[in-house]
Amino acid sequence: MNLATRVARVAGAAATILLLAPAIAAGLNLDQPTFVDDVAPILHANCVSCHQPGEIGPMSLSTYREVRPWARSIARAVENRDMPPWDADPGYGPWLNDISLSEDEIAAIVRWTANGAPRGDGSEPVHERPETADEWTFGEPDWVFEFDPHEVAADGPDEFRDVPITTGFDEDRWIRAVEIKPGDRNVLHHFILWRAAEGATFQESWMAAWTAGSKPYEFPAGSARLLQKGRKLIGDFHYHPSGEAATDRTRIGLWFAEPEEVEKELITLPVWNAGIHIPAGDPNYQAEASRVFEEDVEIRAFTPHMHYRGKSMHFSAELPDGSTRDLLRVSRYDFNWQTTYQLAEPIRLPAGTRIHVKAVFDNSAGNPSNPDPTVDVRWGLESTDEMLNGLVDYVAADG
Ligand code: HEC
């Protein structure tokens, strides 16, 4: 199974507990922190899911011996909030999957480094790699699909593929969780699972996504996504050649809910604007999109989606009474992470509420991710094109 997943889920839970119980964070020794007592628990809960052999982090950060040479980089990375990757600004949520560090945790790491990164006495806490490989996160899935092997050349441009899946389900299915197991993470940059439109093979509705470091998504209790009888799924692959030829065999696992367990359909509202036209070199191109809810809703999650020139995205709600509500601001959007921000508490909004999504793009040479600052860029599926799509997961407030 995806080990990152399980550790990251635990890490997410730990972060939430710290958020709710400052006493634990206050238990950190902020004057004389040591690796054994203060720093190791933070790294184990928030970093090792990616920073261990076989995962995407460039170095392992479990033991004192591994961590010591990186102390300065670690302090810098956490102080700048570059690590762990969590792009939402503070002050929104709270989020179920928040992996960001608290101010105290950052302070402890920074002070520890300034003090010469002491080990401290006693034995080091051991980071347990949970269980064996290859197991699925929520138990054996109800349905597993393996894509045909796909060869990815060593070099060349990024490759995008939409692969329709005929499920053969002879009735409507309610999906309560999805796990995507990348075949080869060296080349699979990201993967989105879509539901196709009726009788068609084009993307209609977002089901789930995978990027390096992401976790499988179990939909909020009582809610599920509907896959109507006869509908196809679509696997939307983005491959990024790694310098070595590879064969990708990605799998997806679905868990179903019984119809009587499902109180509400989880729907994703895409708030998008396909009219974007970003001039070459523009460091600060701004554009907006908006959509209105026709019914009372409970919002469960947000997924900002742009490509390499995406810089920031802001979600807000304009209520029928004219008041506005700030929902989420991601000031340092990073295409690599494709995070879904899962609300710990749903946000209820009345019918007639307009969701506004404001995005800023940086098409200048000053954006290190920019594939080409000399061209104008418009909406398109390729990563070298752009997108402005703010996805809002919601359920009807009245079932
Ligand atoms: C979701 C996966 C993930 C998590 C969680 C994560 N990292 Fe990283 N980290 C990466 C990846 C991938 C890179 C390399 C690419 C990059 O820098 O963005 C990286 C790079 C780094 C670097 C820079 C290494 C260099 O070459 O300079 C440091 C330092 C670092 N991480 C520390 C941490 C610390 C400390 C934490 C926890 C507080 C953490 N990371 C959590 C994935 C992760």
Side-chain angles (χ1 to χ4, degrees):
M1 84 158 203
N2 185 344
L3 295 169
T5 298
R6 176 136 331 169
V7 187
R9 289 178 64 77
V10 174
T16 314
I17 291 164
L18 290 174
L19 212 75
L20 301 176
I24 298 179
L28 289 167
N29 184 335
L30 296 179
D31 290 325
Q32 304 287 331
T34 65
F35 180 78
V36 168
D37 290 333
D38 306 289
V39 173
I42 301 174
L43 302 185
H44 290 179
N46 300 287
C47 317
V48 172
S49 56
C50 295
H51 289 278
Q52 62 179 300
E55 295 299 338
I56 57 168
M59 68 288 191
S60 178
L61 292 179
S62 290
T63 64
Y64 184 67
R65 182 193 280 264
E66 288 166 347
V67 170
R68 180 65 189 84
W70 289 98
R72 276 179 193 288
S73 323
I74 290 172
R76 203 165 37 234
V78 300
E79 211 175 7
N80 295 338
R81 293 194 176 272
D82 290 335
M83 286 283 147
W86 180 259
D87 298 332
D89 293 15
Y92 298 92
W95 311 106
L96 278 178
N97 55 333
D98 193 344
I99 53 166
S100 63
L101 300 187
S102 69
E103 295 295 338
D104 279 349
E105 290 170 316
I106 295 172
I109 291 176
V110 170
R111 173 55 73 94
W112 173 72
T113 305
N115 288 353
R119 180 185 177 281
D121 299 326
S123 49
E124 279 184 31
V126 177
H127 183 260
E128 303 281 353
R129 270 191 91 133
E131 288 147 51
T132 49
D134 229 357
E135 181 197 337
W136 298 85
T137 304
F138 310 117
E140 204 47 43
D142 295 313
W143 187 75
V144 174
F145 181 82
E146 180 167 328
F147 289 92
D148 289 338
H150 179 69
E151 311 288 334
V152 181
D155 302 298
D158 285 17
E159 187 186 352
F160 299 84
R161 303 174 68 216
D162 264 8
V163 183
I165 305 167
T166 304
T167 64
F169 301 149
D170 53 10
E171 56 193 349
D172 290 356
R173 288 295 165 102
W174 290 95
I175 297 169
R176 66 176 172 83
V178 180
E179 183 162 2
I180 294 150
K181 287 195 172 290
D184 189 331
R185 283 189 277 181
N186 294 322
V187 291
L188 188 63
H189 182 280
H190 77 250
F191 175 94
I192 300 172
L193 185 68
W194 299 88
R195 184 180 73 195
E198 197 175 353
T201 52
F202 61 84
Q203 304 168 356
E204 182 197 62
S205 181
W206 174 288
M207 306 294 276
W210 176 90
T211 56
S214 71
K215 303 156 213 156
Y217 198 63
E218 190 168 27
F219 304 129
S223 73
R225 292 207 193 272
L226 177 60
L227 180 63
Q228 298 90 336
K229 178 183 164 187
R231 287 292 179 99
K232 289 190 162 55
L233 291 166
I234 298 172
D236 172 5
F237 293 82
H238 170 187
Y239 291 110
H240 184 66
S242 70
E244 274 176 51
T247 304
D248 181 60
R249 264 191 205 86
T250 289
R251 290 179 298 157
I252 49 184
L254 301 183
W255 287 264
F256 300 137
E258 295 301 326
E260 55 275 14
E261 294 164 11
V262 181
E263 292 154 25
K264 291 170 178 181
E265 179 181 358
L266 185 71
I267 304 173
T268 299
L269 179 77
V271 185
W272 52 278
N273 174 353
I276 49 177
H277 182 177
I278 312 173
D282 190 338
N284 206 42
Y285 174 83
Q286 305 191 22
E288 294 190 28
S290 77
R291 296 269 303 260
V292 175
F293 284 118
E294 307 290 345
E295 56 187 337
D296 293 358
V297 296
E298 283 179 5
I299 305 215
R300 312 307 295 252
F302 303 96
T303 311
H305 185 70
M306 298 175 280
H307 293 166
Y308 292 117
R309 292 156 177 103
K311 185 169 160 183
S312 67
M313 192 174 269
H314 177 230
F315 292 76
S316 64
E318 181 186 348
L319 277 67
D321 67 7
S323 62
T324 55
R325 192 166 165 180
D326 223 5
L327 300 172
L328 166 65
R329 188 183 296 274
V330 173
S331 302
R332 304 198 317 177
Y333 177 79
D334 184 337
F335 179 57
N336 286 316
W337 303 117
Q338 303 291 324
T339 307
T340 291
Y341 298 92
Q342 299 166 241
L343 285 160
E345 293 292 333
I347 296 177
R348 206 184 156 107
L349 294 169
T353 298
R354 182 176 288 275
I355 297 289
H356 289 276
V357 170
K358 288 189 183 159
V360 180
F361 298 86
D362 181 352
N363 194 13
S364 74
N367 170 4
S369 318
N370 193 349
D372 186 353
T374 67
V375 291
D376 287 12
V377 182
R378 294 170 191 266
W379 175 278
L381 292 180
E382 310 271 313
S383 297
T384 47
D385 303 324
E386 264 307 330
M387 276 207 186
L388 188 177
N389 199 354
L391 302 158
V392 182
D393 282 3
Y394 73 95
V395 297
D398 305 313

